[in-house]
Every structure is written in structure tokens, then in C-alpha cells.
Amino acid sequence: DVKVTQSSRYLVKRTGEKVFLECVQDMDHENMFWYRQDPGLGLRLIYFSYDVKMKEKGDIPEGYSVSREKKERFSLILESASTNQTSMYLCASNRGGLYGYTFGSGTRLTVV
Amino acid sequence: AQKVTQAQTEISVVEKEDVTLDCVYETRDTTYYLFWYKQPPSGELVFLIRRNSFDEQNEISGRYSWNFQKSTSSFNFTITASQVVDSAVYFCALGPGANNLFFGTGTRLTVIP
């Protein structure tokens, strides 16, 4: 069964900590995405990557960075976590073009 | 500018009732794509359907059907004879392509047994 796996389901971090959210897909997909989901705001794109070592900013990249050293892995980094980054983070991948995304189960991050 | 509006924040229906989830979009592109995703309580979004702007044919898949109308910029989703397993948050999304999707805010559907 093809999958997108996010390393943590729940995470609690302190303000100012550097936080790594990991995402791995086993479908050999070219594209990978990081979204955050907040009540009343839907899903908002943070960053995406269409190839190894390539990245593009989405709608809300401030406070985040990403890393894609291998095709199957796409990491989201919160350089200095803040309470307004408390959210559900969703990773997704797709084959490119018109194909639908495959999503991971999400990481619910709480910054205290 | 791209925009997707799902005006229904929450809907509750009794099992076996039909329910329609509304989606209205805005775009200046002549070529675009519309999607529906389901997010069950487990959290993982599941792809349901993709439609391109040149294909206004309605689609039916089992108890699910989609009504795409360019004249009203709508892409509505109907579940016939709803079941408890249909309880989820449903998202409509718009894209110039699947590489850049704009999601609506979602509609939470609760099916009461």
C-alpha cells in the first residue's frame, strides 16, 4: 500500500526550539508539499518541492524552511518555534501534473 | 486571484439522507482543475475526484456524485443515502494544476445514526 509517512503524530515543543517535521513517501513521486491546517482557514501551502534539492515558497513560508536531500524525504523546519505555529501540519506528494495528492496523516504540533 | 469558498462550515444529517456540499470558486484562468478531498477523523486527506475546466460532464461514483457548472463557478458534491462512515471534513480545491492547489476552508459533515 503506497504511503506518505509523517514521523510524529503529536509533538509538543517549547518556544524558541528548532523543530524538524519529517515526511517520507514510498511512491517515487517527484513533488512533495507541506501544508498547515487551521480551523476556519483550510489548508495553506508552506513550501513545495518538485525535485531533489529544489524548493519553492508557498503562501505562508515565513518562519519555515525545508530540506529535500533525497527524493523520498521532505523535511519542514521551524527555525525558532513560536506559539502561532501551533497547528496541524500535513505532508503530501504527487506524481506531478494533474494527479491528485497523497497525504500523510498529519503532525499536530503544539508550541508552548 | 484564485479562491475557493465552502460556505457550509458544518452539516448534520440523519443516516440515509442525501446531502450536498457546496463549492464555489473564482479564477481568471481559462484552464483549471477542481478537486474534492475527504478528511476522516484519522486525519489523512483522501483524494476523491479531479475535474478539468473543459469537462463539464457530471460524474457519479457509487453514492457520490459531482455537479460541475462553469456558468455559476460551482463544483458541488452530493452524497446519496449517507452513512456514518461518510462523517468527515470535505475540502474542495482549485488549481492551475495539481502542483499548486488552493483549498477551501472545508465542510464538516456529521452523519447521525
Side-chain angles (χ1 to χ4, degrees), chain A residues 24-78:
Chain A
V24 177
Q25 50 97 1
D26 64 2
M27 297 164 283
D28 201 34
H29 282 172
E30 303 296 327
N31 301 328
M32 296 187 75
F33 308 82
W34 274 107
Y35 283 86
R36 66 177 281 178
Q37 181 181 1
D38 300 288
L41 297 176
L43 276 71
R44 293 179 292 167
L45 181 63
I46 305 171
Y47 268 97
F48 68 98
S49 168
Y50 51 87
D51 201 352
V52 175
K53 297 191 186 294
M54 305 301 287
K55 60 184 179 184
E56 293 284 343
K57 292 180 180 179
D59 300 317
I60 51 165
E62 296 77 21
Y64 303 95
S65 62
V66 291
S67 172
R68 193 163 181 204
E69 296 296 319
K70 294 184 177 182
K71 190 175 185 180
E72 67 271 19
R73 186 180 296 271
F74 192 35
S75 302
L76 179 69
I77 304 156
L78 285 65

Side-chain angles (χ1 to χ4, degrees), chain B residues 15-75:
Chain B
E15 200 170 22
K16 297 184 183 172
E17 285 184 351
D18 299 347
V19 59
T20 295
L21 310 182
D22 297 333
C23 173
V24 174
Y25 62 92
E26 294 176 32
T27 180
R28 293 179 183 166
D29 295 337
T30 54
T31 300
Y32 52 90
Y33 302 88
L34 294 161
F35 301 78
W36 275 96
Y37 285 84
K38 174 183 179 180
Q39 186 180 38
S42 62
E44 187 172 322
L45 273 81
V46 176
F47 168 73
L48 295 178
I49 190 172
R50 178 190 69 240
R51 256 291 173 262
N52 73 54
S53 52
F54 297 111
D55 183 2
E56 286 194 73
Q57 209 169 11
N58 291 330
E59 181 154 338
I60 298 174
S61 176
R63 296 184 297 107
Y64 294 172
S65 62
W66 291 270
N67 184 345
F68 177 28
Q69 293 195 347
K70 286 178 78 171
S71 59
T72 56
S73 297
S74 65
F75 186 43

Side-chain angles (χ1 to χ4, degrees), chain A residues 89-103:
Chain A
Y89 290 88
L90 293 165
C91 177
S93 71
N94 85 333
R95 219 187 314 176
L98 308 177
Y99 296 95
Y101 294 4
T102 300
F103 279 87

